[in-house]
mmCIF file with all atom_site columns, all heavy atoms in Angstrom:
data_model
loop_
_atom_site.group_PDB
_atom_site.id
_atom_site.type_symbol
_atom_site.label_atom_id
_atom_site.label_alt_id
_atom_site.label_comp_id
_atom_site.label_asym_id
_atom_site.label_entity_id
_atom_site.label_seq_id
_atom_site.pdbx_PDB_ins_code
_atom_site.Cartn_x
_atom_site.Cartn_y
_atom_site.Cartn_z
_atom_site.occupancy
_atom_site.B_iso_or_equiv
_atom_site.pdbx_formal_charge
_atom_site.auth_seq_id
_atom_site.auth_comp_id
_atom_site.auth_asym_id
_atom_site.auth_atom_id
_atom_site.pdbx_PDB_model_num
ATOM 1   N N   . PHE A 1 77 ? -5.654 2.356  18.952 1.00 97.00 ? 77 PHE A N   1
ATOM 2   C CA  . PHE A 1 77 ? -6.171 3.497  18.124 1.00 97.00 ? 77 PHE A CA  1
ATOM 3   C C   . PHE A 1 77 ? -5.130 4.653  18.210 1.00 97.00 ? 77 PHE A C   1
ATOM 4   O O   . PHE A 1 77 ? -4.736 5.243  17.196 1.00 97.00 ? 77 PHE A O   1
ATOM 5   C CB  . PHE A 1 77 ? -7.451 4.010  18.642 1.00 97.00 ? 77 PHE A CB  1
ATOM 6   C CG  . PHE A 1 77 ? -7.976 5.187  17.846 1.00 97.00 ? 77 PHE A CG  1
ATOM 7   C CD1 . PHE A 1 77 ? -8.453 5.034  16.576 1.00 97.00 ? 77 PHE A CD1 1
ATOM 8   C CD2 . PHE A 1 77 ? -7.917 6.469  18.458 1.00 97.00 ? 77 PHE A CD2 1
ATOM 9   C CE1 . PHE A 1 77 ? -8.850 6.184  15.868 1.00 97.00 ? 77 PHE A CE1 1
ATOM 10  C CE2 . PHE A 1 77 ? -8.310 7.627  17.697 1.00 97.00 ? 77 PHE A CE2 1
ATOM 11  C CZ  . PHE A 1 77 ? -8.862 7.432  16.495 1.00 97.00 ? 77 PHE A CZ  1
ATOM 12  N N   . ILE A 1 78 ? -4.605 4.925  19.341 1.00 94.00 ? 78 ILE A N   1
ATOM 13  C CA  . ILE A 1 78 ? -3.564 6.068  19.638 1.00 94.00 ? 78 ILE A CA  1
ATOM 14  C C   . ILE A 1 78 ? -2.361 5.682  18.879 1.00 94.00 ? 78 ILE A C   1
ATOM 15  O O   . ILE A 1 78 ? -1.787 6.443  18.109 1.00 94.00 ? 78 ILE A O   1
ATOM 16  C CB  . ILE A 1 78 ? -3.316 6.342  21.062 1.00 94.00 ? 78 ILE A CB  1
ATOM 17  C CG1 . ILE A 1 78 ? -4.583 6.714  21.774 1.00 94.00 ? 78 ILE A CG1 1
ATOM 18  C CG2 . ILE A 1 78 ? -2.146 7.284  21.220 1.00 94.00 ? 78 ILE A CG2 1
ATOM 19  C CD1 . ILE A 1 78 ? -5.184 8.007  21.349 1.00 94.00 ? 78 ILE A CD1 1
ATOM 20  N N   . GLN A 1 79 ? -1.882 4.355  19.017 1.00 94.00 ? 79 GLN A N   1
ATOM 21  C CA  . GLN A 1 79 ? -0.729 3.906  18.256 1.00 94.00 ? 79 GLN A CA  1
ATOM 22  C C   . GLN A 1 79 ? -0.961 4.046  16.751 1.00 94.00 ? 79 GLN A C   1
ATOM 23  O O   . GLN A 1 79 ? -0.001 4.493  16.122 1.00 94.00 ? 79 GLN A O   1
ATOM 24  C CB  . GLN A 1 79 ? -0.335 2.530  18.703 1.00 94.00 ? 79 GLN A CB  1
ATOM 25  C CG  . GLN A 1 79 ? 0.018  2.424  20.142 1.00 94.00 ? 79 GLN A CG  1
ATOM 26  C CD  . GLN A 1 79 ? 0.480  0.814  20.379 1.00 94.00 ? 79 GLN A CD  1
ATOM 27  O OE1 . GLN A 1 79 ? 1.042  0.148  19.586 1.00 94.00 ? 79 GLN A OE1 1
ATOM 28  N NE2 . GLN A 1 79 ? 0.160  0.424  21.620 1.00 94.00 ? 79 GLN A NE2 1
ATOM 29  N N   . SER A 1 80 ? -2.042 3.674  16.353 1.00 96.00 ? 80 SER A N   1
ATOM 30  C CA  . SER A 1 80 ? -2.364 3.732  14.916 1.00 96.00 ? 80 SER A CA  1
ATOM 31  C C   . SER A 1 80 ? -2.326 5.213  14.478 1.00 96.00 ? 80 SER A C   1
ATOM 32  O O   . SER A 1 80 ? -1.775 5.480  13.380 1.00 96.00 ? 80 SER A O   1
ATOM 33  C CB  . SER A 1 80 ? -3.689 3.120  14.534 1.00 96.00 ? 80 SER A CB  1
ATOM 34  O OG  . SER A 1 80 ? -3.602 1.765  14.932 1.00 96.00 ? 80 SER A OG  1
ATOM 35  N N   . MET A 1 81 ? -2.868 6.114  15.164 1.00 95.00 ? 81 MET A N   1
ATOM 36  C CA  . MET A 1 81 ? -2.969 7.543  14.789 1.00 95.00 ? 81 MET A CA  1
ATOM 37  C C   . MET A 1 81 ? -1.512 8.117  14.754 1.00 95.00 ? 81 MET A C   1
ATOM 38  O O   . MET A 1 81 ? -1.261 8.948  13.867 1.00 95.00 ? 81 MET A O   1
ATOM 39  C CB  . MET A 1 81 ? -3.829 8.414  15.700 1.00 95.00 ? 81 MET A CB  1
ATOM 40  C CG  . MET A 1 81 ? -5.390 7.989  15.709 1.00 95.00 ? 81 MET A CG  1
ATOM 41  S SD  . MET A 1 81 ? -6.253 8.511  14.166 1.00 95.00 ? 81 MET A SD  1
ATOM 42  C CE  . MET A 1 81 ? -5.566 7.785  12.793 1.00 95.00 ? 81 MET A CE  1
ATOM 43  N N   . VAL A 1 82 ? -0.621 7.700  15.710 1.00 94.00 ? 82 VAL A N   1
ATOM 44  C CA  . VAL A 1 82 ? 0.725  8.167  15.633 1.00 94.00 ? 82 VAL A CA  1
ATOM 45  C C   . VAL A 1 82 ? 1.318  7.667  14.399 1.00 94.00 ? 82 VAL A C   1
ATOM 46  O O   . VAL A 1 82 ? 2.050  8.443  13.634 1.00 94.00 ? 82 VAL A O   1
ATOM 47  C CB  . VAL A 1 82 ? 1.531  7.684  16.835 1.00 94.00 ? 82 VAL A CB  1
ATOM 48  C CG1 . VAL A 1 82 ? 2.973  7.920  16.697 1.00 94.00 ? 82 VAL A CG1 1
ATOM 49  C CG2 . VAL A 1 82 ? 0.937  8.374  18.173 1.00 94.00 ? 82 VAL A CG2 1
ATOM 50  N N   . ARG A 1 83 ? 1.108  6.351  13.961 1.00 94.00 ? 83 ARG A N   1
ATOM 51  C CA  . ARG A 1 83 ? 1.768  5.864  12.652 1.00 94.00 ? 83 ARG A CA  1
ATOM 52  C C   . ARG A 1 83 ? 1.179  6.607  11.465 1.00 94.00 ? 83 ARG A C   1
ATOM 53  O O   . ARG A 1 83 ? 1.786  6.953  10.522 1.00 94.00 ? 83 ARG A O   1
ATOM 54  C CB  . ARG A 1 83 ? 1.375  4.401  12.631 1.00 94.00 ? 83 ARG A CB  1
ATOM 55  C CG  . ARG A 1 83 ? 2.158  3.615  13.560 1.00 94.00 ? 83 ARG A CG  1
ATOM 56  C CD  . ARG A 1 83 ? 1.930  2.160  13.432 1.00 94.00 ? 83 ARG A CD  1
ATOM 57  N NE  . ARG A 1 83 ? 2.802  1.362  14.382 1.00 94.00 ? 83 ARG A NE  1
ATOM 58  C CZ  . ARG A 1 83 ? 2.259  0.804  15.555 1.00 94.00 ? 83 ARG A CZ  1
ATOM 59  N NH1 . ARG A 1 83 ? 0.920  0.910  15.892 1.00 94.00 ? 83 ARG A NH1 1
ATOM 60  N NH2 . ARG A 1 83 ? 2.989  0.244  16.364 1.00 94.00 ? 83 ARG A NH2 1
ATOM 61  N N   . VAL A 1 84 ? -0.223 6.918  11.511 1.00 95.00 ? 84 VAL A N   1
ATOM 62  C CA  . VAL A 1 84 ? -0.825 7.744  10.408 1.00 95.00 ? 84 VAL A CA  1
ATOM 63  C C   . VAL A 1 84 ? -0.160 9.023  10.272 1.00 95.00 ? 84 VAL A C   1
ATOM 64  O O   . VAL A 1 84 ? 0.246  9.498  9.219  1.00 95.00 ? 84 VAL A O   1
ATOM 65  C CB  . VAL A 1 84 ? -2.281 7.818  10.539 1.00 95.00 ? 84 VAL A CB  1
ATOM 66  C CG1 . VAL A 1 84 ? -2.877 8.840  9.654  1.00 95.00 ? 84 VAL A CG1 1
ATOM 67  C CG2 . VAL A 1 84 ? -2.912 6.497  10.351 1.00 95.00 ? 84 VAL A CG2 1
ATOM 68  N N   . PHE A 1 85 ? 0.080  9.797  11.414 1.00 93.00 ? 85 PHE A N   1
ATOM 69  C CA  . PHE A 1 85 ? 0.785  11.021 11.370 1.00 93.00 ? 85 PHE A CA  1
ATOM 70  C C   . PHE A 1 85 ? 2.235  10.965 10.793 1.00 93.00 ? 85 PHE A C   1
ATOM 71  O O   . PHE A 1 85 ? 2.655  11.717 10.012 1.00 93.00 ? 85 PHE A O   1
ATOM 72  C CB  . PHE A 1 85 ? 0.792  11.640 12.808 1.00 93.00 ? 85 PHE A CB  1
ATOM 73  C CG  . PHE A 1 85 ? 1.709  12.884 12.826 1.00 93.00 ? 85 PHE A CG  1
ATOM 74  C CD1 . PHE A 1 85 ? 1.267  13.993 12.449 1.00 93.00 ? 85 PHE A CD1 1
ATOM 75  C CD2 . PHE A 1 85 ? 2.918  12.781 13.400 1.00 93.00 ? 85 PHE A CD2 1
ATOM 76  C CE1 . PHE A 1 85 ? 2.022  15.167 12.483 1.00 93.00 ? 85 PHE A CE1 1
ATOM 77  C CE2 . PHE A 1 85 ? 3.793  13.833 13.483 1.00 93.00 ? 85 PHE A CE2 1
ATOM 78  C CZ  . PHE A 1 85 ? 3.290  15.089 13.126 1.00 93.00 ? 85 PHE A CZ  1
ATOM 79  N N   . ILE A 1 86 ? 2.992  9.899  11.252 1.00 93.00 ? 86 ILE A N   1
ATOM 80  C CA  . ILE A 1 86 ? 4.341  9.639  10.791 1.00 93.00 ? 86 ILE A CA  1
ATOM 81  C C   . ILE A 1 86 ? 4.420  9.449  9.362  1.00 93.00 ? 86 ILE A C   1
ATOM 82  O O   . ILE A 1 86 ? 5.028  10.126 8.565  1.00 93.00 ? 86 ILE A O   1
ATOM 83  C CB  . ILE A 1 86 ? 4.946  8.449  11.567 1.00 93.00 ? 86 ILE A CB  1
ATOM 84  C CG1 . ILE A 1 86 ? 5.245  8.736  12.975 1.00 93.00 ? 86 ILE A CG1 1
ATOM 85  C CG2 . ILE A 1 86 ? 6.163  8.073  10.757 1.00 93.00 ? 86 ILE A CG2 1
ATOM 86  C CD1 . ILE A 1 86 ? 5.531  7.462  13.788 1.00 93.00 ? 86 ILE A CD1 1
ATOM 87  N N   . PHE A 1 87 ? 3.528  8.536  8.854  1.00 92.00 ? 87 PHE A N   1
ATOM 88  C CA  . PHE A 1 87 ? 3.548  8.217  7.373  1.00 92.00 ? 87 PHE A CA  1
ATOM 89  C C   . PHE A 1 87 ? 3.063  9.371  6.586  1.00 92.00 ? 87 PHE A C   1
ATOM 90  O O   . PHE A 1 87 ? 3.454  9.579  5.428  1.00 92.00 ? 87 PHE A O   1
ATOM 91  C CB  . PHE A 1 87 ? 2.874  6.904  7.103  1.00 92.00 ? 87 PHE A CB  1
ATOM 92  C CG  . PHE A 1 87 ? 3.551  5.680  7.635  1.00 92.00 ? 87 PHE A CG  1
ATOM 93  C CD1 . PHE A 1 87 ? 2.912  4.797  8.444  1.00 92.00 ? 87 PHE A CD1 1
ATOM 94  C CD2 . PHE A 1 87 ? 4.935  5.545  7.530  1.00 92.00 ? 87 PHE A CD2 1
ATOM 95  C CE1 . PHE A 1 87 ? 3.547  3.750  8.984  1.00 92.00 ? 87 PHE A CE1 1
ATOM 96  C CE2 . PHE A 1 87 ? 5.651  4.485  8.050  1.00 92.00 ? 87 PHE A CE2 1
ATOM 97  C CZ  . PHE A 1 87 ? 4.935  3.527  8.842  1.00 92.00 ? 87 PHE A CZ  1
ATOM 98  N N   . SER A 1 88 ? 2.101  10.067 7.047  1.00 94.00 ? 88 SER A N   1
ATOM 99  C CA  . SER A 1 88 ? 1.521  11.296 6.257  1.00 94.00 ? 88 SER A CA  1
ATOM 100 C C   . SER A 1 88 ? 2.528  12.349 6.120  1.00 94.00 ? 88 SER A C   1
ATOM 101 O O   . SER A 1 88 ? 2.825  12.918 5.145  1.00 94.00 ? 88 SER A O   1
ATOM 102 C CB  . SER A 1 88 ? 0.219  11.816 7.047  1.00 94.00 ? 88 SER A CB  1
ATOM 103 O OG  . SER A 1 88 ? -0.753 10.837 7.033  1.00 94.00 ? 88 SER A OG  1
ATOM 104 N N   . ALA A 1 89 ? 3.222  12.656 7.231  1.00 92.00 ? 89 ALA A N   1
ATOM 105 C CA  . ALA A 1 89 ? 4.258  13.652 7.216  1.00 92.00 ? 89 ALA A CA  1
ATOM 106 C C   . ALA A 1 89 ? 5.356  13.324 6.259  1.00 92.00 ? 89 ALA A C   1
ATOM 107 O O   . ALA A 1 89 ? 5.775  14.076 5.417  1.00 92.00 ? 89 ALA A O   1
ATOM 108 C CB  . ALA A 1 89 ? 4.767  13.845 8.569  1.00 92.00 ? 89 ALA A CB  1
ATOM 109 N N   . SER A 1 90 ? 5.730  12.019 6.355  1.00 90.00 ? 90 SER A N   1
ATOM 110 C CA  . SER A 1 90 ? 6.793  11.553 5.414  1.00 90.00 ? 90 SER A CA  1
ATOM 111 C C   . SER A 1 90 ? 6.418  11.517 4.037  1.00 90.00 ? 90 SER A C   1
ATOM 112 O O   . SER A 1 90 ? 7.104  12.077 3.036  1.00 90.00 ? 90 SER A O   1
ATOM 113 C CB  . SER A 1 90 ? 7.277  10.146 5.840  1.00 90.00 ? 90 SER A CB  1
ATOM 114 O OG  . SER A 1 90 ? 8.282  9.692  5.023  1.00 90.00 ? 90 SER A OG  1
ATOM 115 N N   . SER A 1 91 ? 5.264  11.111 3.664  1.00 93.00 ? 91 SER A N   1
ATOM 116 C CA  . SER A 1 91 ? 4.837  10.997 2.210  1.00 93.00 ? 91 SER A CA  1
ATOM 117 C C   . SER A 1 91 ? 4.561  12.321 1.686  1.00 93.00 ? 91 SER A C   1
ATOM 118 O O   . SER A 1 91 ? 4.848  12.670 0.572  1.00 93.00 ? 91 SER A O   1
ATOM 119 C CB  . SER A 1 91 ? 3.647  10.067 2.090  1.00 93.00 ? 91 SER A CB  1
ATOM 120 O OG  . SER A 1 91 ? 2.523  10.512 2.815  1.00 93.00 ? 91 SER A OG  1
ATOM 121 N N   . LEU A 1 92 ? 3.891  13.184 2.511  1.00 94.00 ? 92 LEU A N   1
ATOM 122 C CA  . LEU A 1 92 ? 3.615  14.560 2.016  1.00 94.00 ? 92 LEU A CA  1
ATOM 123 C C   . LEU A 1 92 ? 4.706  15.440 1.693  1.00 94.00 ? 92 LEU A C   1
ATOM 124 O O   . LEU A 1 92 ? 4.863  16.045 0.729  1.00 94.00 ? 92 LEU A O   1
ATOM 125 C CB  . LEU A 1 92 ? 2.571  15.297 2.910  1.00 94.00 ? 92 LEU A CB  1
ATOM 126 C CG  . LEU A 1 92 ? 1.201  14.773 3.046  1.00 94.00 ? 92 LEU A CG  1
ATOM 127 C CD1 . LEU A 1 92 ? 0.469  15.371 4.158  1.00 94.00 ? 92 LEU A CD1 1
ATOM 128 C CD2 . LEU A 1 92 ? 0.486  14.889 1.680  1.00 94.00 ? 92 LEU A CD2 1
ATOM 129 N N   . THR A 1 93 ? 5.683  15.308 2.520  1.00 93.00 ? 93 THR A N   1
ATOM 130 C CA  . THR A 1 93 ? 6.910  16.046 2.373  1.00 93.00 ? 93 THR A CA  1
ATOM 131 C C   . THR A 1 93 ? 7.753  15.552 1.198  1.00 93.00 ? 93 THR A C   1
ATOM 132 O O   . THR A 1 93 ? 8.389  16.278 0.484  1.00 93.00 ? 93 THR A O   1
ATOM 133 C CB  . THR A 1 93 ? 7.859  16.249 3.573  1.00 93.00 ? 93 THR A CB  1
ATOM 134 O OG1 . THR A 1 93 ? 8.167  14.909 4.032  1.00 93.00 ? 93 THR A OG1 1
ATOM 135 C CG2 . THR A 1 93 ? 7.162  17.023 4.715  1.00 93.00 ? 93 THR A CG2 1
ATOM 136 N N   . THR A 1 94 ? 7.782  14.278 1.029  1.00 92.00 ? 94 THR A N   1
ATOM 137 C CA  . THR A 1 94 ? 8.390  13.587 -0.136 1.00 92.00 ? 94 THR A CA  1
ATOM 138 C C   . THR A 1 94 ? 7.778  14.060 -1.464 1.00 92.00 ? 94 THR A C   1
ATOM 139 O O   . THR A 1 94 ? 8.337  14.436 -2.490 1.00 92.00 ? 94 THR A O   1
ATOM 140 C CB  . THR A 1 94 ? 8.460  12.171 -0.106 1.00 92.00 ? 94 THR A CB  1
ATOM 141 O OG1 . THR A 1 94 ? 9.078  11.801 1.116  1.00 92.00 ? 94 THR A OG1 1
ATOM 142 C CG2 . THR A 1 94 ? 9.128  11.400 -1.211 1.00 92.00 ? 94 THR A CG2 1
ATOM 143 N N   . ILE A 1 95 ? 6.461  14.076 -1.413 1.00 94.00 ? 95 ILE A N   1
ATOM 144 C CA  . ILE A 1 95 ? 5.702  14.478 -2.699 1.00 94.00 ? 95 ILE A CA  1
ATOM 145 C C   . ILE A 1 95 ? 5.965  15.984 -2.886 1.00 94.00 ? 95 ILE A C   1
ATOM 146 O O   . ILE A 1 95 ? 6.163  16.368 -4.086 1.00 94.00 ? 95 ILE A O   1
ATOM 147 C CB  . ILE A 1 95 ? 4.163  14.252 -2.496 1.00 94.00 ? 95 ILE A CB  1
ATOM 148 C CG1 . ILE A 1 95 ? 3.864  12.817 -2.515 1.00 94.00 ? 95 ILE A CG1 1
ATOM 149 C CG2 . ILE A 1 95 ? 3.366  14.992 -3.608 1.00 94.00 ? 95 ILE A CG2 1
ATOM 150 C CD1 . ILE A 1 95 ? 2.538  12.361 -1.987 1.00 94.00 ? 95 ILE A CD1 1
#
Side-chain angles (χ1 to χ4, degrees):
F77 177 77
I78 299 295
Q79 292 183 35
S80 296
M81 292 288 63
V82 171
R83 288 182 181 103
V84 166
F85 171 75
I86 290 170
F87 293 129
S88 295
S90 180
S91 62
L92 290 173
T93 57
T94 300
I95 291 167

